[in-house]
Amino acid sequence: MIDISSNQDTPPRIRRRQTLALVLLVVTGVINYLDRATLAVANEYIRADLGLSLGQMGLLLSAFSWSYALCQLPVGALVDKIGPRWLLGMGLVIWSLAQAAGGLVSTFGWFVLARVVLGIGEAPQFPAAARVVSNWFPPRSRGTPTGIFNSASPLGVALAPLCLAPLIAATSWHWAFFVTGGMGLVAAVVWVALYRDPVRDQLTAEERAYLDAGQAAEEAPKTGLSSWGALFKHRATWGMLLGFSGSVYLNWVYLTWLPGYLRTERHMDLAYSGLAASIPFFCGFAGALIAGWASDRVAKLAASPVSGRRNAVVASMLGMVAFTIPAALVESNTVAVACISIVIFLANASSACSWSLATVVAPRSRIASLGAIQNFGGFLGGAMAPILTGYIAQTWSFVPALLTGAGIAFLGAMSYLFLVTRPILEEK
């Protein structure tokens, strides 16, 4: 069994709070990705019902990513200022109402608006989660819990076709939006009712010592950080923004186009392609869990927490590149799906390591801010992926579309490697 704290001396009350926080983050994260994936699962039904073209569907698939990416910048600062309890709670309410509204729309324009509001509401999820981990875990034990909350992403995507497709078949695509929206509203109430940040005056000396363990190792010369915007003065910030853009771009190529790729390019029938599209995301679930645990071990052996967690990100991204190439070129469908499964395993490993990297690069008061800036870059890549992939595939084929994704991911890995070399410290 994986010890989420990576420390046998964790005070009992802290361990209980850690477990509760991670359970809540995984549940809200799964709902978050079920909501995102509902459109992809109901794609053909919605296009037929609303009379949408493939081009309009590509725009609809990307509408969420644009608002989500742009909201990362202010949301990260708000999480650091307001705290994850209330901001994630408000986000849950907003995105759940927007998700339910998606089941009511009857025109392309209103559907785009619902997806834009969905992106706004979902923006606090991962910056808030990064803040929760930094609040309840010491620096050298943050990889495992980060992997756990990141595992909700591929788990939600993998469960979406398995849970929503039968619901759509039994009722209509509208009910997939209503049900998932209702789940989010319930989760909002539970999150606000149960989650609390640590209050130092209410902690024992042992609990404070545990949460502060390893903080001295994070210290470095003063960098003059005095405001949220000053993060952009540091090359580590740009390395994480550009690097995550490459990682998420390639991941979203598969997230948004995998079923269509398997049917169009690989000529799989509908039933087999649905199963084949779920398998890689269950692999991604395992990747997030394993990478989080492994990155804690690597960080303890590395010269510094920053270099250890950065190198884990780079290695994962280079693996994504390496396995995307045969996925695009091999003739065997079985080999292609196996390669794609490895890519998505590594993509989610990379994501987990990237979020844990943010907790050791950022100053303590700016962890959510830096994580959100990194996520902003990621979802600029995520927003471009469905559009550019669709254009390349329509003009040529999916082969150059996948190879383009591999090239972008390689550039992202190099951004992490050469730009993220030291932590950013707040001005003292």
Side-chain angles (χ1 to χ4, degrees):
M1 181 177 178
I2 295 175
D3 180 3
I4 60 173
S5 68
S6 301
N7 189 335
Q8 297 299 323
D9 299 322
T10 307
R13 186 167 64 157
I14 295 290
R15 185 184 294 276
R16 289 194 295 272
R17 290 291 185 177
Q18 290 173 338
T19 302
L20 175 63
L22 288 176
V23 168
L24 292 174
L25 288 175
V26 169
V27 170
T28 57
V30 167
I31 294 172
N32 185 296
Y33 266 78
L34 279 174
D35 290 355
R36 298 187 197 191
T38 302
L39 181 61
V41 174
N43 186 326
E44 295 181 5
Y45 297 92
I46 292 170
R47 282 200 294 114
D49 196 11
L50 302 186
L52 303 181
S53 67
L54 285 173
Q56 286 178 308
M57 182 54 68
L59 291 173
L60 190 56
L61 285 166
S62 69
F64 163 89
S65 296
W66 290 110
S67 61
Y68 181 88
L70 293 173
C71 284
Q72 289 301 299
L73 298 177
V75 158
L78 286 172
V79 170
D80 284 327
K81 184 176 182 179
I82 298 173
R85 180 189 176 209
W86 288 108
L87 204 63
L88 180 53
M90 290 186 290
L92 273 159
V93 172
I94 292 169
W95 99 51
S96 299
L97 292 175
Q99 175 73 356
L104 296 173
V105 299
S106 58
T107 66
F108 174 72
W110 283 111
F111 216 147
V112 169
L113 179 60
R115 297 295 290 184
V116 167
V117 177
L118 181 72
I120 294 170
E122 291 199 356
Q125 175 74 38
F126 287 91
R131 187 75 208 181
V132 169
V133 168
S134 71
N135 285 344
W136 285 108
F137 293 84
R140 289 187 179 272
S141 298
R142 291 174 183 166
T144 298
T146 301
I148 290 172
F149 82 67
N150 264 278
S151 71
S153 305
L155 181 59
V157 176
L159 290 175
L162 301 179
C163 298
L164 299 181
L167 175 62
I168 292 170
T171 56
S172 71
W173 64 265
H174 305 81
W175 278 99
F177 288 87
F178 297 151
V179 170
T180 50
M183 291 167 58
L185 292 174
V186 173
V189 174
V190 175
W191 168 260
V192 172
L194 297 183
Y195 177 76
R196 296 293 185 276
D197 287 327
V199 179
R200 294 190 70 81
D201 291 344
Q202 297 176 6
L203 300 177
T204 66
E206 177 192 13
E207 291 168 341
R208 286 195 295 270
Y210 167 78
L211 292 177
D212 291 339
Q215 293 292 350
E218 304 299 312
E219 292 183 359
K222 296 179 183 180
T223 60
L225 182 66
S226 58
S227 68
W228 170 83
L231 287 168
F232 286 98
K233 297 179 181 178
H234 301 273
R235 68 177 191 172
T237 300
W238 289 100
M240 294 170 68
L241 186 156
L242 295 171
F244 207 47
S245 179
S247 174
V248 175
Y249 180 96
L250 185 54
N251 193 21
W252 270 64
V253 168
Y254 295 109
L255 185 64
T256 56
W257 281 107
L258 182 56
Y261 164 70
L262 294 177
R263 290 197 297 270
T264 303
E265 191 83 13
R266 293 283 170 180
H267 308 294
M268 294 184 183
D269 62 42
L270 183 60
Y272 186 69
S273 67
L275 176 62
S278 291
I279 291 172
F281 292 101
F282 281 114
C283 293
F285 171 68
L289 291 177
I290 294 171
W293 171 83
S295 70
D296 278 341
R297 272 62 188 170
V298 171
K300 290 178 180 178
L301 298 174
S304 72
V306 171
S307 65
R309 297 196 188 280
R310 178 206 62 207
N311 292 343
V313 175
V314 173
S316 297
M317 290 182 67
L318 292 178
M320 292 168 63
V321 173
F323 282 94
T324 290
I325 295 171
L329 299 177
V330 297
E331 293 186 7
S332 168
N333 287 347
T334 301
V335 174
V337 170
C339 289
I340 291 169
S341 297
I342 295 172
V343 172
I344 295 178
F345 175 96
L346 293 170
N348 285 277
S350 171
S351 179
C353 293
S354 297
W355 278 101
S356 64
L357 177 64
T359 70
V360 297
V361 172
R364 293 184 68 179
S365 67
R366 302 292 180 187
I367 287 171
S369 297
L370 184 60
I373 290 170
Q374 177 178 241
N375 210 27
F376 164 73
F379 275 84
L380 286 181
M384 289 303 301
I387 298 173
L388 188 55
T389 300
Y391 172 77
I392 295 173
Q394 181 174 313
T395 306
W396 294 284
S397 74
F398 275 101
V399 172
L402 293 180
L403 296 178
T404 298
I408 292 172
F410 177 79
L411 294 176
M414 295 302 100
S415 296
Y416 275 116
L417 182 62
F418 293 111
L419 297 178
V420 185
T421 58
R422 58 180 293 179
I424 302 170
L425 261 281
E426 201 137 29
E427 185 178 33
K428 298 181 181 179

